[in-house]
Amino acid sequence: MKYLLWLLKAAIFFTLFAFALNNQHDATVYFFFGTYWRAPLVLVVLAAFAGGLVVGALGMLPGWWKHRTAAAQLPVASEAQPSAPSVATSTPASAPSISATDLPAVRQHGL
C-alpha cells in the first residue's frame, strides 16, 4: 500500500510538471481600472491556487478560533469540580455527573 501511494504521488507530480512545461506562454490577467498582469500561465494558475488556499483558511479561521477557546476553557472547568473519593470507597451514585450545561457550546457541522 505504501508503494502504491508513492506511485500515485509520483504520477500527480509528473502530470503537474508536464502541465508546467506545456504552458510556458504568457497569459494576461486583467484587473479593474485598466491594470493587468502578464505572467506565464503556470504562475497565474499557481497564484490562483495560493489565493484560494488563503481565502479558504481565512474563512475557516473563526471556527478554529471558537474551538480553540472552547478547548482552552475545558481544563479549567474540570479543575473546578471537587475531586472524586478514592476508588475503594467510591460508588456509582457518588460519581460527579456531567450535564449538557457543563460542556462548551460547540456547533456540530454536518451531523
Side-chain angles (χ1 to χ4, degrees):
M1 185 67 177
K2 184 168 102 173
Y3 295 114
L4 185 62
L5 287 175
W6 275 105
L7 185 64
L8 179 65
K9 290 176 186 179
I12 291 172
F13 172 77
F14 285 118
T15 301
L16 293 175
F17 187 69
F19 174 78
L21 289 178
N22 288 328
N23 293 296
Q24 292 182 355
H25 58 280
D26 283 345
T28 305
V29 179
Y30 294 98
F31 297 105
F32 299 110
F33 307 114
T35 58
Y36 62 92
W37 176 45
R38 290 185 69 95
L41 183 60
V42 173
L43 290 181
V44 172
V45 171
L46 182 64
F49 179 71
L53 287 176
V54 169
V55 169
L58 288 176
M60 291 174 22
L61 193 62
W64 287 341
W65 194 260
K66 185 172 73 171
H67 287 286
R68 180 181 166 107
T69 55
Q73 291 173 358
L74 189 60
V76 175
S78 65
E79 290 174 1
Q81 294 177 353
S83 61
S86 66
V87 176
T89 61
S90 70
T91 60
S94 68
S97 64
I98 298 175
S99 66
T101 58
D102 295 335
L103 301 175
V106 178
R107 219 172 26 169
Q108 297 295 324
H109 298 283
L111 296 176

